Amino acid sequence: MASPMRCLPTDPAKYLQSFRLFLANSTEHQCMREFMEGQLPAVIGSIGNGKSTINILSVGGGAGEIDLLILSKVQARYPGITINNDVIEPNADQIFKYKEHVAETSNLENVKFTWHEETAYEYESRMNAEKNSKKWDFIHMIQMLYYVKDVPETIQYFHSLLEVQAKLLIIVVSESSGWETLWKKYRSSFPLNDLCFYVSSADIKRMLDSARLKYQLHELPSHIDITSCFIEGNKDGEMLLDFLTETCEFSKTAPPELKRQVMEELRKPECSEKRDGKVLFNNNLSVIVIEP
């Protein structure tokens, strides 16, 4: 009999809802902001040297919160220089939110935004069909490599679009995170399909090493408060569980034994720590900065 379990990204509205709940319950954006404030200026230190225009490509830009922070750092490093900021984002709701954020942000007079409502693969296919090999000064792929079919090929393609002094910045979950433990153990039990794969910093490092690409690695400590997942019938808890397992209505559709094992796993020190009566899932991230 076919399993009633469904991959979460097959329902974009549900996925977005659970993703926003995840952001609200995690320090993900907070730790990214700290990185952008503290370490990004050095990363982008030479991307615009001698240029009258800086071209930035955001792959999977989401609702734009982190993109706008990145832009503010580029503006601070290269005041007054024109910035072309192209965004690849397949979700129309996210693009709508992104445009709202742009409208609410001041000091963007020198930034030109172009949104492409398509996946990274669709963008690549279209560019190849148009024989367009535009080069970029900075490309970033933040928490999006889980949603591409061929991760090494995607990295290679976007890496090939880098200008001489450019950088490619990737953020994914760290191999030191609870995701690594949970997904290594239960990946085969979750209903993954072409819309979602698991990849961590360990996988990316292997790919970059085999392609002989130079990179730097930065670790960002982060956690998600998953306490509500252990409260029977708690709506937010059920939705967070959906996000952790990438499964629509995991609590209702997972076989009872799988659910029991996953709930047990989530409490283990390899996945989470207990602090002040809360269960905090290890959401550590890795920032990988790749040279041209």
Side-chain angles (χ1 to χ4, degrees):
M1 196 178 87
S3 165
M5 292 169 74
R6 269 191 318 129
C7 184
L8 185 59
T10 57
D11 186 331
K14 249 198 176 74
Y15 172 80
L16 201 50
Q17 203 182 358
S18 65
F19 173 64
R20 286 183 179 150
L21 183 68
F22 152 74
L23 285 181
N25 282 272
S26 78
T27 60
E28 170 132 337
H29 274 185
Q30 184 186 324
C31 76
M32 284 186 200
R33 279 191 199 97
E34 284 166 12
F35 174 83
M36 301 305 169
E37 294 288 350
Q39 285 150 295
L40 187 68
V43 171
I44 58 168
S46 60
I47 63 168
N49 286 356
K51 293 179 178 284
S52 57
T53 303
I54 295 173
N55 296 313
I56 298 177
L57 182 62
S58 164
V59 188
E65 298 101 328
I66 301 299
D67 283 20
L68 289 171
L69 183 53
I70 290 171
L71 287 169
S72 74
K73 297 298 159 200
V74 177
Q75 286 177 309
R77 173 68 185 84
Y78 301 100
I81 286 184
T82 301
I83 299 169
N84 292 322
N85 187 73
D86 278 40
V87 182
I88 300 167
E89 171 53 57
N91 189 298
D93 286 339
Q94 290 284 69
I95 290 178
F96 180 77
K97 273 265 185 282
Y98 197 133
K99 289 178 177 176
E100 279 189 336
H101 284 131
V102 168
E104 293 158 3
T105 306
S106 55
N107 304 325
L108 291 173
E109 298 77 18
N110 64 324
V111 185
K112 180 176 175 282
F113 290 90
T114 308
W115 286 273
H116 307 277
E117 192 184 316
E118 55 194 350
T119 63
Y121 177 72
E122 286 163 349
Y123 175 86
E124 180 182 344
S125 303
R126 184 168 61 80
M127 289 298 126
N128 288 337
E130 293 171 9
K131 298 200 168 26
N132 181 335
S133 56
K134 180 177 177 177
K135 299 282 188 180
W136 301 87
D137 300 305
F138 189 50
I139 300 175
H140 52 86
M141 311 164 86
I142 297 175
Q143 291 288 53
M144 56 70 63
L145 282 170
Y146 322 109
Y147 308 107
V148 303
K149 286 182 185 171
D150 188 335
V151 176
E153 197 281 330
T154 300
I155 293 173
Q156 287 277 20
Y157 170 70
F158 286 103
H159 181 264
S160 75
L161 305 182
L162 290 178
E163 285 280 16
V164 179
Q165 300 180 98
K167 295 281 191 290
L168 168 58
L169 181 145
I170 291 172
I171 300 183
V172 289
V173 294
S174 168
E175 61 194 285
S176 72
S177 71
W179 295 97
E180 186 83 337
T181 307
L182 182 69
W183 279 75
K184 274 213 165 125
K185 207 162 186 177
Y186 294 104
R187 177 192 327 230
S188 59
S189 305
F190 297 152
L192 295 187
N193 63 10
D194 280 358
L195 289 169
C196 177
F197 302 90
Y198 176 72
V199 63
S200 76
S201 60
D203 305 301
I204 305 295
K205 286 191 309 192
R206 266 196 303 277
M207 292 167 198
L208 297 177
D209 289 338
S210 79
R212 300 212 164 122
L213 293 176
K214 281 171 62 181
Y215 61 91
Q216 285 96 42
L217 189 72
H218 307 265
E219 290 289 302
L220 311 185
S222 173
H223 66 257
I224 314 163
D225 182 350
I226 60 166
T227 315
S228 59
C229 294
F230 301 95
I231 302 167
E232 198 62 47
N234 183 289
K235 287 281 171 278
D236 282 0
E238 287 179 0
M239 212 183 295
L240 278 175
L241 208 48
D242 291 359
F243 190 79
L244 288 165
T245 60
E246 289 283 334
T247 304
C248 275
E249 305 200 322
F250 178 82
S251 283
K252 296 183 177 72
T253 62
E257 182 55 19
L258 174 64
K259 184 184 171 186
R260 187 192 66 72
Q261 287 176 14
V262 166
M263 299 310 286
E264 206 172 276
E265 194 69 38
L266 286 172
R267 283 188 183 277
K268 288 182 182 172
E270 292 81 5
C271 277
S272 304
E273 66 164 312
K274 291 191 178 68
R275 202 192 307 159
D276 304 328
K278 291 177 175 173
V279 183
L280 304 178
F281 182 81
N282 179 330
N283 184 51
N284 290 355
L285 304 176
S286 292
V287 179
I288 301 160
V289 180
I290 307 167
E291 306 288 331

